[in-house]
Amino acid sequence: MLLFISALCALAFFLGAVALLVYGRHLRRRNLLYRLRYYQLEEVTGGGSAPLLQQLRGMLARLARPIAERGPVQALDLRMRQADIPLLGGEFLVLMGIVFLAVFLALWMLTLDSAVALLGGALGGAALWGWVLLRVQKRKNSFTEQLGDSLNTIANALRAGYSFQQAMDVVAKEMEPPISQEFTQVAREVNMSVPLDTALEAMNRRVESRDFDLVVTAVLIHREVGGNLAQILDTISDTLSERIRMKREISSLTAQGRLSATILVLMPFAIGLFLYTFKKEQIMLLFTEPVGRMALALSLVLEVIGILVIRRIVDIET
């Protein structure tokens, strides 16, 4: 009987997902601001997704329309752009809800324990958000690695007689993503009559790089007072190369401390899982007895303190 109910729930969830997918094919975006944001997303990502992925995006967009224009949801648009994920903020929130519901139903059908299912669903949503943050950080690091070469390209183009906008076009065509995507977006905005200063500042907000902030400041000052921009960019490029070299050296020197922090985080959970598997009655004392709960709370507080101290030691500003 239990197997039949589980299969029925799984079938109902599958049919519901298929129905939403088919309905998403008939999506009509009537809100002008939403349509403009979606068009910009298509331009940045290229719009070359497979038909199935396009249908899934259409389904997510349809479900996200009621919350698409809310301020906190629009703030997620920038995070999606930074992670190079072809979704808007509201669509990502809907995707997180679907992941939560899918994990919740799967664990509930396996364990019939609502608490375990709820915890698993929350962890599934948190894992999805953690994946986004990792993509954001990876893209920022890639941008920083490419910035020095792009500045050299712009400086050489300026010496060859190109304008600054033409030099940015060279970077957009010759460099690899993500820096080519960002300069392509700047060129597109300038072609749509957006002032170059505004387009560069918008790019600076997207990449959130202190190194590029220095470049934007130099370009804006040059447009006000003049000077040899190619020489300035060469100097900034040399400075960035030296900073990257120092970061790599510091990363190698602090590897042991960062590994210690990782072990400090994972070891208590690994030991708890081991005891739960082989000595369940002992580990459950931490949850059933008042003294055990106090010891568990104290250990968590001490672990957080240890992690913060180690991070403070190994986090060296460059």
Side-chain angles (χ1 to χ4, degrees):
M1 185 63 180
L2 178 59
L3 182 60
F4 175 76
I5 295 176
S6 301
L8 186 62
C9 291
L11 180 62
F13 182 80
F14 175 77
L15 292 178
V18 171
L20 290 174
L21 182 63
V22 174
Y23 186 66
R25 299 181 61 181
H26 306 284
L27 179 65
R28 296 293 183 269
R29 302 174 184 86
R30 288 170 291 186
N31 186 282
L32 179 59
L33 293 177
Y34 185 81
R35 291 176 64 185
L36 288 174
R37 288 159 53 204
Y38 203 89
Y39 172 76
Q40 183 184 34
L41 180 67
E42 289 286 344
E43 288 292 320
V44 171
T45 58
S49 303
L52 179 58
L53 294 179
Q54 291 179 355
Q55 294 176 10
L56 291 175
R57 286 182 58 192
M59 178 192 70
L60 294 175
R62 177 65 182 89
L63 294 175
R65 183 186 296 176
I67 61 173
E69 301 306 318
R70 299 182 183 274
V73 175
Q74 290 190 19
L76 282 177
D77 292 349
L78 176 61
R79 191 64 66 182
M80 296 297 102
R81 179 69 177 81
Q82 291 173 337
D84 195 24
I85 296 176
L87 294 175
L88 295 176
E91 297 168 1
F92 179 75
L93 286 180
V94 173
L95 179 61
M96 286 189 66
I98 293 175
V99 170
F100 172 84
L101 182 60
V103 175
F104 176 85
L105 290 177
L107 290 179
W108 182 81
M109 288 186 293
L110 291 174
T111 64
L112 294 181
D113 190 335
S114 58
V116 174
L118 186 64
L119 179 60
L123 290 177
L128 184 61
W129 178 246
W131 172 72
V132 171
L133 296 181
L134 287 177
R135 283 184 61 94
V136 171
Q137 189 60 43
K138 181 179 179 180
R139 195 168 186 271
K140 287 182 180 179
N141 293 337
S142 299
F143 181 89
T144 302
E145 293 285 340
Q146 294 176 302
L147 186 57
D149 293 336
S150 66
L151 293 181
N152 288 331
T153 301
I154 293 175
N156 293 333
L158 292 175
R159 292 192 183 95
Y162 285 68
S163 66
F164 183 75
Q165 184 175 346
Q166 291 173 329
M168 290 194 303
D169 292 337
V170 173
V171 173
K173 294 176 182 178
E174 300 297 333
M175 299 289 292
E176 297 291 330
I179 201 165
S180 61
Q181 294 175 332
E182 296 297 339
F183 277 104
T184 299
Q185 178 67 20
V186 172
R188 184 180 297 115
E189 292 176 356
V190 171
N191 291 334
M192 296 175 64
S193 301
V194 176
L196 179 61
D197 299 357
T198 304
L200 287 175
E201 290 174 353
M203 177 179 172
N204 191 27
R205 288 192 297 270
R206 289 195 302 270
V207 300
E208 291 184 351
S209 171
R210 292 183 302 172
D211 299 327
F212 187 72
D213 183 64
L214 181 62
V215 176
V216 173
T217 302
V219 173
L220 296 183
I221 292 176
H222 172 267
R223 290 173 62 86
E224 293 291 335
V225 301
N228 191 343
L229 182 58
Q231 183 178 358
I232 295 174
L233 294 180
D234 281 336
T235 303
I236 296 176
S237 177
D238 294 339
T239 303
L240 296 183
S241 299
E242 184 65 20
R243 289 185 60 180
I244 292 175
R245 186 194 65 79
M246 290 182 59
K247 286 182 179 179
R248 291 173 177 172
E249 183 176 352
I250 291 173
S251 178
S252 63
L253 293 175
T254 59
Q256 181 178 356
R258 289 183 282 109
L259 179 61
S260 299
T262 303
I263 295 175
L264 178 65
V265 173
L266 298 180
M267 183 176 292
F269 297 100
I271 295 175
L273 181 61
F274 178 83
L275 291 177
Y276 183 82
T277 304
F278 296 100
K279 291 290 184 179
K280 184 177 179 179
E281 64 279 0
Q282 294 185 6
I283 193 66
M284 292 306 296
L285 293 176
L286 294 174
F287 301 93
T288 58
E289 298 295 330
V291 177
R293 289 192 290 267
M294 292 178 58
L296 185 62
L298 180 60
S299 63
L300 290 176
V301 171
L302 292 177
E303 182 174 359
V304 171
I305 293 175
I307 293 172
L308 294 177
V309 170
I310 292 178
R311 288 192 59 183
R312 186 64 180 270
I313 293 174
V314 301
D315 187 14
I316 301 175
E317 292 290 336
T318 56

